[in-house]
Amino acid sequence: MNRIHPFILSLALAAASMGQTIRFPDPALHRLEVVSTGRDTVLSLGRPFIIPGSDSVSVDSVRLSRWRDYTVAETAGVIRFTRPPDSGQVIRIHFRSLPLRLGTEFRLYEASAPDRAGGRPGPAGSASATGRAGVRPPADDFADHLQKSGSIFRGVSLGTDQGMRLQSGLRLQVSGRIAPDVEVVASLTDQNTPIQPEGNTQTLQEIDKVFVEIRAPHFRATLGDFQFQAPASSLAAYSRKLQGATGTAEGSLGSVTVFAAASRGEFTTNHFNGTEGNQGPYQLTGEGGTLEIIVLAGTETVWMDGRLLTRGEDNDYVIEYATGQITFTRKCLVTTESRITVDFEYSGRQYQRQMMGAAGAMAAWKNRIRLRGAFISESDDKDNPLDLTITDEVRSILRSAGDAADSAVTSGAKYAGPGKGSYSQADSLGNTVYLYRGVGNGDWSVHFSYVGPAKGDYSFQGYDIYRYEGPGKGAYLPVMVLPLASGQQIADAGAAIELLAGVVLDGEVALSNLDRNLFSGRDDGDNTGTAATGRLTVSERGLKIGGLGLGRIAFDGRLRRTDDAFRPLGRTEEVEHGRKWGASEGVTWGERSAEFTAAYAPVRRVDLNAGFGSFSRGAFSSERRSASAAWARSDGHDALFRYGAEWIHSRSGPGITGAWLRHSGNAQGPWKTLNPSVTYEGEHRRNSTPDSAATGFRFDEWAGKLAFARKLLRLEAG
């Protein structure tokens, strides 16, 4: 089989990329006889685009060997002999070529003589002084569709306490079409600034975001900074701010997204209660209570009492990203009962973190079967820490620590020499302690690490000053905590099948692997965990018995199980998931739960709901029942009456039980030009143990409001 010429193959590929089909005629067979002059080593065949391997050359009936006796330049149609045949010998050549006739010279613009008025040569195709016309320029120049803007600066700074310093910067924004149906959006800069935007407005202006985004009808890609959001999943939820590359291809059956990037931070969640009369700032912490963090701008999501808050001085809260501190405005008053939850990404500056993954979804059978899957990997680059030098001693400590982060420590004290340190060494009841003497007044340089309240012996006084308080009376120790390099992967697969119109069965399984210490193989037996969910949803539909309409009904049932070792990469449950079941917050693994909810509307303006669920996590178990009723106005807005209640009965050990009743409601009704309303919320909780009196709390809160109709506030001009 003859091979396709590379030039022709490139034409075919280019045409295919534009959705065109090229048909080439069959290559023709040519015969050529030439009498050698005995001097020429190069012979032109007169036809370009020779089919590789189709040539044969003989001299006086003696066939020559290609590469040994001659070579062929297929594109140019030229034969080169190793040595010229003798004079008078007959050279016979057989070959095949593509019947293409292409010009030897192509020009977009053609120079023309200037006119008598001294004008400049015009573009090809324009009238010239000689009357010649060239090739016309393309009708659609895509550069004309690009919108470009930016700034550039150069400067020199001088000062009495510094030398001369050059400054320069470039920022460029480009958007528009670069080809038919292909658009580009780019934000480029030659600066690399760690400055975070201020978190006091609802919309952020990130001055250091650099990216190039390409969009086509069935494909889009981004290079640089981007926000990656995995497809909807209950077990593999994933949202990160990344630096790298991502691409998405879409077709008639589904889509596939891949990415590879370096993360600017890692994800965590903080749960805490407010302090009466204190609007902030409240300090956010990283894993293990780390205080020295930088929150990545725009990655935070804040809830109070289960209500999603909005950033901004005129809204609910402001945040200082550089210090990780959040302050609430007067529109969001904080009390001791305020339950605050914050999801965010932060930079702890320990290891460079690398991410990669893929996610896809497809549909079949008229969209009645929907499949989805994802694989995501996050891993620290253990050989390249950011603020640590990996020596043989450090590597040995990390290897022996296993998954116990508290064991990966080394002494933070270093003898500096007389008068070269800030601390002196002393003895206290047989223990070595370090006392601050001032810069240049001690013999030791000491690094202290935060280990948690009542877990250390020193307290922080500020300005790198630590004071010895006694065993267990502080939060710091004179040690250097070595950060463990970790890696985590999660694989997820799910399917949804529409059994009948409005009846959907959805299932999902996930496998996670978390290695808390990539330096060590110890404690790796609990790295892998699994999780699974199943859900049956019946959309609202009419209920009839014997042709009699009895209203409308809907149903939702859900089962969920997660292993003790399963660790998700993001939020996989609703906010205040623990409060929903009467359990503690912050843990969503090692759980078993089942929920069933039914909704019934006997008439158009009345809605009734009832639910039942069971939950277990370790030794804790609970049952939850709920019911609600609502009566709405005819326009569907502002329910005239609503009441809901939920009962939670829990057990956390032999004889340790709890009962929790939560209910709320409101009623309103327009009366002439007035609109009065009343709201109620109450909670009654009781915990019982076999060896102590019952504990708990109770509160009932009523509120009323009287509003006037807007038409009473109408003003008329006299």
Side-chain angles (χ1 to χ4, degrees):
M1 180 182 293
N2 292 330
R3 294 180 298 163
I4 299 177
H5 194 278
F7 176 75
I8 304 305
L9 179 60
S10 64
L11 288 178
L13 292 176
S17 66
M18 296 184 289
Q20 302 295 325
T21 301
I22 290 181
R23 295 185 180 275
F24 296 106
D26 294 334
L29 177 63
H30 303 281
R31 296 178 176 85
L32 181 64
E33 289 187 3
V34 180
V35 178
S36 175
T37 63
R39 298 186 301 270
D40 300 327
T41 59
V42 178
L43 178 61
S44 176
L45 301 179
R47 295 182 180 275
F49 304 121
I50 307 301
I51 300 298
S54 68
D55 55 274
S56 65
V57 181
S58 61
V59 176
D60 287 344
S61 301
V62 177
R63 185 163 182 173
L64 303 185
S65 174
R66 190 175 183 180
W67 305 113
R68 187 188 67 185
D69 300 322
Y70 72 95
T71 60
V72 180
E74 290 93 350
T75 303
V78 173
I79 287 184
R80 291 181 174 87
F81 293 96
T82 305
R83 65 179 184 86
D86 295 337
S87 177
Q89 289 184 318
V90 179
I91 305 173
R92 295 180 176 87
I93 305 173
H94 294 181
F95 64 94
R96 292 182 182 273
S97 67
L98 292 175
L100 296 178
R101 294 292 184 180
L102 299 179
T104 58
E105 182 177 335
F106 298 90
R107 287 178 292 180
L108 180 63
Y109 289 89
E110 184 178 77
S112 60
D115 56 23
R116 296 180 181 178
R120 301 179 61 185
S126 62
S128 65
T130 60
R132 296 164 57 191
V135 181
R136 287 186 174 273
D140 195 0
D141 188 352
F142 291 105
D144 295 338
H145 297 283
L146 292 178
Q147 298 180 0
K148 303 170 283 289
S149 63
S151 62
I152 184 172
F153 69 88
R154 300 287 186 267
V156 178
S157 62
L158 297 171
T160 58
D161 57 347
Q162 66 179 20
M164 184 177 68
R165 184 174 58 180
L166 297 177
Q167 294 178 327
S168 66
L170 169 67
R171 293 193 60 83
L172 177 64
Q173 293 82 36
V174 179
S175 63
R177 288 194 302 147
I178 59 175
D181 299 327
V182 178
E183 296 183 358
V184 62
V185 178
S187 177
L188 308 173
T189 180
D190 65 348
Q191 296 173 279
N192 185 15
T193 173
I195 299 176
Q196 293 271 70
E198 296 183 0
N200 54 12
T201 58
Q202 184 173 354
T203 303
L204 294 179
Q205 297 293 331
E206 298 185 68
I207 64 176
D208 62 340
K209 191 172 184 180
V210 180
F211 68 94
V212 176
E213 183 177 358
I214 301 174
R215 304 170 186 167
H218 301 291
F219 177 78
R220 63 180 182 273
T222 302
L223 304 176
D225 298 326
F226 63 93
Q227 181 80 26
F228 181 81
Q229 183 79 40
S233 171
S234 61
L235 297 175
Y238 187 80
S239 178
R240 293 290 190 276
K241 207 171 191 178
L242 303 174
Q243 289 179 328
T246 180
T248 300
E250 298 177 343
S252 58
L253 294 180
S255 63
V256 176
T257 300
V258 297
F259 75 93
S263 174
R264 302 174 63 182
E266 54 185 301
F267 175 85
T268 191
T269 299
N270 281 187
H271 300 277
F272 56 92
N273 286 352
T275 303
E276 189 74 37
N278 181 15
Q279 295 295 109
Y282 290 92
Q283 179 67 53
L284 301 179
T285 61
E287 290 293 331
T290 305
L291 297 175
E292 299 176 357
I293 64 173
I294 298 176
V295 177
L296 299 187
T299 62
E300 85 284 353
T301 307
V302 184
W303 296 269
M304 180 179 289
D305 298 336
R307 179 176 67 91
L308 181 64
L309 304 185
T310 303
R311 181 184 58 244
E313 293 178 338
D314 298 330
N315 298 312
D316 300 319
Y317 73 93
V318 296
I319 182 171
E320 183 67 33
Y321 291 114
T323 59
Q325 295 180 335
I326 184 171
T327 303
F328 297 92
T329 67
R330 62 180 181 273
K331 290 188 176 181
C332 191
L333 298 180
V334 181
T335 67
T336 54
E337 303 299 327
S338 298
R339 305 179 305 274
I340 302 170
T341 303
V342 186
D343 289 352
F344 62 95
E345 294 178 51
Y346 71 96
S347 174
R349 293 196 62 81
Q350 294 180 343
Y351 295 90
Q352 183 72 34
R353 201 160 180 83
Q354 302 170 344
M355 278 83 166
M356 62 176 295
M362 65 173 295
W365 197 23
K366 298 181 180 180
N367 206 37
R368 298 185 64 178
I369 298 179
R370 297 181 294 275
L371 306 177
R372 62 186 183 274
F375 173 79
I376 300 172
S377 174
E378 291 189 352
S379 180
D380 290 331
D381 188 356
K382 65 185 183 69
D383 295 323
N384 295 288
L386 298 177
D387 295 327
L388 178 68
T389 301
I390 301 294
T391 63
D392 291 340
E393 179 186 1
V394 169
R395 193 180 298 273
S396 176
I397 294 175
L398 292 172
R399 187 181 298 112
S400 61
D403 291 349
D406 295 341
S407 300
V409 296
T410 184
S411 175
K414 181 180 180 181
Y415 182 73
K420 296 182 179 180
S422 302
Y423 288 83
S424 64
Q425 194 179 77
D427 182 87
S428 176
L429 301 178
N431 296 322
T432 300
V433 300
Y434 297 93
L435 306 176
Y436 183 77
R437 301 301 185 186
V439 179
N441 295 322
D443 303 336
W444 292 80
S445 295
V446 186
H447 173 86
F448 291 85
S449 297
Y450 178 81
V451 294
K455 295 183 180 180
D457 304 340
Y458 296 78
S459 63
F460 179 58
Q461 304 297 309
Y463 300 101
D464 201 27
I465 302 174
Y466 295 84
R467 184 174 66 189
Y468 180 73
E469 303 290 352
K473 296 182 179 180
Y476 293 85
L477 285 175
V479 297
M480 178 178 292
V481 179
L482 302 177
L484 303 182
S486 64
Q488 185 173 1
Q489 297 81 36
I490 188 166
D492 174 82
I497 303 175
E498 188 173 2
L499 303 176
L500 300 171
V503 180
V504 179
L505 178 63
D506 193 310
E508 185 175 355
V509 294
L511 174 69
S512 74
N513 181 76
L514 173 60
D515 191 342
R516 296 174 178 83
N517 188 356
L518 296 176
F519 290 96
S520 175
R522 296 179 56 186
D523 306 326
D524 284 351
D526 59 350
N527 288 358
T528 304
T530 60
T533 63
R535 188 170 187 175
L536 177 64
T537 303
V538 180
S539 301
E540 185 177 303
R541 57 181 53 220
L543 180 63
K544 294 183 179 181
I545 298 180
L548 178 63
L550 299 178
R552 304 185 67 82
I553 191 170
F555 173 82
D556 184 48
R558 181 188 182 196
L559 301 175
R560 177 183 172 94
R561 179 194 62 81
T562 60
D563 284 351
D564 293 337
F566 179 78
R567 294 296 184 273
L569 288 169
R571 174 172 292 278
T572 60
E573 278 293 355
E574 70 271 53
V575 180
E576 298 193 328
H577 170 69
R579 173 180 166 84
K580 173 182 177 180
W581 297 103
S584 58
E585 297 286 358
V587 177
T588 59
W589 48 84
E591 296 181 348
R592 311 287 189 274
S593 63
E595 298 179 71
F596 305 93
T597 304
Y600 176 56
V603 294
R604 182 178 179 184
R605 298 166 56 186
V606 176
D607 289 318
L608 304 175
N609 290 270
F612 170 80
S614 63
F615 174 88
S616 65
R617 183 201 296 161
F620 178 88
S621 63
S622 66
E623 292 183 353
R624 178 178 178 270
R625 296 175 175 84
S626 64
S628 66
W631 177 31
R633 295 193 316 194
S634 58
D635 57 9
H637 299 287
D638 300 330
L640 297 177
F641 172 80
R642 181 189 62 82
Y643 174 77
E646 50 186 343
W647 299 265
I648 302 173
H649 298 274
S650 62
R651 180 181 298 274
S652 55
I656 304 176
T657 60
W660 197 351
L661 169 63
R662 298 196 293 254
H663 48 156
S664 63
N666 69 284
Q668 64 177 351
W671 179 69
K672 295 184 178 181
T673 59
L674 301 178
N675 188 11
S677 64
V678 60
T679 302
Y680 167 75
E681 182 177 1
E683 293 189 17
H684 307 162
R685 185 169 188 176
R686 179 185 178 90
N687 299 320
S688 301
T689 58
D691 55 353
S692 65
T695 61
F697 64 85
R698 172 173 181 164
F699 77 85
D700 296 278
E701 180 179 278
W702 294 84
K705 182 175 69 173
L706 180 62
F708 293 92
R710 291 184 178 181
K711 62 183 179 181
L712 291 181
L713 304 179
R714 183 177 58 193
L715 299 178
E716 296 182 0

